[in-house]
Amino acid sequence: MARAGLTTERLVRAGAELADTVGFDQVTVSALARQFDVKVASLYSHLKNSHDLRTRIALLALEELADRGASALAGRAGRDALTAYADVFRDYAREHPGRYAAAQYRLDPEAAAASAGGRHAQMTRAILRGYDLPEPDQTHAVRLLGSVFHGFVSLELAGGFSHSAPDSAESWSWTLDRLDALLRGRPAP
């Protein structure tokens, strides 16, 4: 019988908060049970195992990111859209480092197909329509943007830019300027 007050959604949200506090890799059903002061077995009516918990946190994070991205892109085009979308990832990672890590979790094909990952690709392609890129260049650009956003954000979160000038915010802006110029096929500013 399920413990009163415990639901799958509540457990997943608590797991996401735990990920932001202790790191996504440390989130397990056992850790969640300790947080709720219940036996691990009482969570198995809601979650199959730690992999199921992590998958659900990843799906939550992808959904949250997609919702923020859609809101940030509304009415924007070109560099303005590129910057707004990039800032969604950077801001989310800073606010929710564990959830951001969860968004990178490898999902099985069925979970990936049902996730908000497709929305992310659609939004990135919507931004790229403003740059008039043909295929396969558009697909390469989707991958480039994802790589640059994730790479920069991951290095920044790990403290990789904190030991030298200029400030990482300045490098972020410089990077986005260069991406915009590259996508336009123009020399960088």
Side-chain angles (χ1 to χ4, degrees), residues 3-189:
R3 184 176 172 100
L6 290 183
T7 64
T8 303
E9 182 180 348
R10 184 171 179 217
L11 291 169
V12 170
R13 291 213 171 268
E17 290 170 16
L18 185 62
D20 288 337
T21 304
V22 301
F24 181 63
D25 291 341
Q26 301 304 310
V27 176
T28 62
V29 173
S30 296
L32 203 54
R34 282 191 300 276
Q35 183 173 329
F36 281 96
D37 196 27
V38 298
K39 293 184 190 234
V40 173
S42 66
L43 300 186
Y44 287 129
S45 61
H46 304 286
L47 302 164
K48 294 176 192 170
N49 50 39
S50 292
H51 173 70
D52 181 40
L53 173 61
R54 288 187 188 116
T55 296
R56 290 172 185 270
I57 294 168
L59 294 172
L60 172 68
L62 288 168
E63 189 71 34
E64 288 176 343
L65 269 167
D67 290 346
R68 285 186 180 201
S71 179
L73 286 176
R76 295 193 162 131
R79 188 194 189 287
D80 189 36
L82 176 68
T83 300
Y85 193 58
D87 286 344
V88 162
F89 285 89
R90 187 170 182 235
D91 294 344
Y92 188 81
R94 292 165 128 188
E95 293 168 29
H96 301 291
R99 292 179 204 204
Y100 182 77
Q104 314 311 313
Y105 191 61
R106 186 178 190 126
L107 300 173
D108 65 58
E110 187 177 309
S115 77
R119 288 178 59 203
H120 290 274
Q122 290 170 350
M123 285 184 277
T124 305
R125 287 186 183 278
I127 292 167
L128 293 172
R129 278 195 293 276
Y131 292 99
D132 198 30
L133 295 173
E135 282 297 351
D137 292 347
Q138 191 177 105
T139 297
H140 296 315
V142 168
R143 293 171 180 168
L144 172 68
L145 294 180
S147 298
V148 171
F149 298 167
H150 178 64
F152 190 101
V153 167
S154 295
L155 289 169
E156 185 178 40
L157 282 176
F161 304 139
S162 62
H163 305 294
S164 63
D167 181 78
S168 63
E170 187 177 331
S171 294
W172 181 247
S173 181
W174 184 92
T175 299
L176 296 177
D177 284 340
R178 279 11 179 226
L179 282 173
D180 177 66
L182 173 69
L183 293 169
R184 290 184 189 284
R186 297 182 185 155

